[in-house]
Amino acid sequence: MPPSKEARRTDYDFRYWSTIPGRGEFVRLIAGLRYAFPLRMATLMPSFPRLADLDERVAALPELQDYLGSDRRLPFTNEDVFRHYPELDAA
């Protein structure tokens, strides 16, 4: 079965952003997508090593460690844009 139009679009978007180094503002986006679609993101991220590497490097920055481990960082919930969609999550 060929990939859906949405899957092809997601692949295109990830290919685009993985070519642009230093886009730390997308770390929250990647974390949100991992929360909303954990199975799909686990399958998709290995295809985009530069994007995965950027996400890991930004999260490892010493100046972010206090924030990432604090109560100031709002957790994802099912009342947020990045709610978990099990019916849409497929590897």
Side-chain angles (χ1 to χ4, degrees):
M1 173 190 238
S4 69
K5 181 179 178 181
E6 292 79 15
R8 287 192 310 272
R9 177 66 193 188
T10 301
D11 290 346
Y12 169 80
D13 289 343
F14 276 1
R15 277 194 306 274
Y16 173 77
W17 290 115
S18 68
T19 64
I20 301 174
R23 294 290 185 181
E25 62 267 19
F26 291 98
V27 170
R28 180 75 175 171
L29 173 65
I30 298 300
L33 289 172
R34 284 182 170 155
Y35 178 82
F37 308 104
L39 297 176
R40 181 68 179 140
M41 291 300 289
T43 301
L44 194 60
M45 286 304 284
S47 299
F48 302 95
R50 290 181 65 193
L51 192 60
D53 180 59
L54 174 63
D55 182 48
E56 291 172 12
R57 285 186 293 127
V58 171
L61 290 172
E63 56 268 28
L64 291 181
Q65 293 307 300
D66 287 341
Y67 169 73
L68 291 175
S70 75
D71 293 338
R72 294 178 297 157
R73 184 177 187 203
L74 298 176
F76 294 110
T77 69
N78 281 330
E79 304 298 320
D80 199 355
V81 170
F82 292 113
R83 60 183 61 94
H84 180 62
Y85 296 94
E87 67 278 6
L88 300 177
D89 191 22

